[in-house]
């Protein structure tokens, strides 16, 4: 089993509050049969830590947290592969970032590949959601929709 959406990194967002919490979450996931888990964090290019630090510094910060977590799992002898990921909020700020970066890259695609975990605001219109998904797909991204139960 592969878990593609987990706010597991301690202190990064609304997931694990501490390293102990994160390790316990991983232990439970492993016992339940998970072999790989994506350490997805919230990725909103319009606000929060990602906006304040900028994508390059945020990626460094995330990578430091990810490596510390992997090291802790190894010390605890938990045999679970942890890969990078981000739950990317699809909004106009995301597309401004893509235009301004002069590249078609997104930090923290799932395991560094072409798949992205996309989310939308709760009150998103069907039209904007369709447009956002099409714009990502036109750029060659493969999409996994986070929280499909939230959208009409």
């Amino acid at each position: 089993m592969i878990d593609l959406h987990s706010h597991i990194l301690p202190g990064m967002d609304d997931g694990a509050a501490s390293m102990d919490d994160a390790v316990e979450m991983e232990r439970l996931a492993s016992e339940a049969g998970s072999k790989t888990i994506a350490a997805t964090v919230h990725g909103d290019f319009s606000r929060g830590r990602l906006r304040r630090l900028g994508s390059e510094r945020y990626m460094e910060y995330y990578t430091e947290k990810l490596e510390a977590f992997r090291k802790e799992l190894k010390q605890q002898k938990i045999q679970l592969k942890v890969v990078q990921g981000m739950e990317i909020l699809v909004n106009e700020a995301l597309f401004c970032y893509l235009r301004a970066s002069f590249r078609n890259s997104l930090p923290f695609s799932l395991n560094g590949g072409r798949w992205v975990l996309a989310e939308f605001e709760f009150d998103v219109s069907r039209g904007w959601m369709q447009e956002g998904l099409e714009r990502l797909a036109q750029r060659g991204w493969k999409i996994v929709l986070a929280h499909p139960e939230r959208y009409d």
Side-chain angles (χ1 to χ4, degrees):
M1 182 167 23
I2 298 171
D3 185 342
L4 294 177
H5 184 188
S6 173
H7 297 286
I8 194 76
L9 292 182
M12 286 293 292
D13 50 29
D14 58 354
S18 68
M19 186 64 81
D20 288 342
D21 289 345
V23 168
E24 182 60 18
M25 290 167 70
E26 287 297 293
R27 182 180 272 93
L28 291 170
S30 182
E31 289 172 2
S34 292
K35 301 296 182 206
T36 302
I37 193 164
T40 53
V41 294
H42 289 290
D44 182 351
F45 287 84
S46 65
R47 62 181 174 258
R49 190 179 290 154
L50 177 56
R51 173 126 176 128
R52 275 194 323 276
L53 295 176
S55 63
E56 297 301 319
R57 178 62 191 119
Y58 187 79
M59 288 171 24
E60 291 171 12
Y61 179 73
Y62 171 92
T63 301
E64 290 168 9
K65 292 278 194 175
L66 181 61
E67 290 306 316
F69 184 54
R70 286 173 173 161
K71 183 178 178 181
E72 182 66 24
L73 290 178
K74 188 174 183 178
Q75 289 176 346
Q76 298 280 337
K77 295 181 177 33
I78 298 174
Q79 300 293 319
L80 193 63
K81 181 179 179 182
V82 182
V83 299
Q84 74 179 29
M86 182 182 277
E87 182 183 18
I88 297 172
L89 183 66
V90 180
N91 58 17
E92 201 52 50
L94 168 65
F95 294 107
C96 287
Y97 165 81
L98 289 172
R99 281 190 301 274
S101 68
F102 300 107
R103 61 182 187 252
N104 188 34
S105 64
L106 284 173
F108 309 114
S109 58
L110 293 171
N111 199 26
R114 297 298 300 165
W115 289 88
V116 294
L117 181 64
E119 76 167 330
F120 292 85
E121 298 288 355
F122 293 166
D123 61 350
V124 67
S125 72
R126 182 176 296 200
W128 168 242
M129 185 178 217
Q130 181 76 27
E131 179 183 338
L133 293 172
E134 287 175 2
R135 287 167 75 179
L136 285 174
Q138 287 169 354
R139 291 175 171 271
W141 292 99
K142 306 294 184 189
I143 300 158
V144 175
L145 185 61
H147 304 294
E149 73 281 1
R150 293 181 179 172
Y151 312 115
D152 289 339

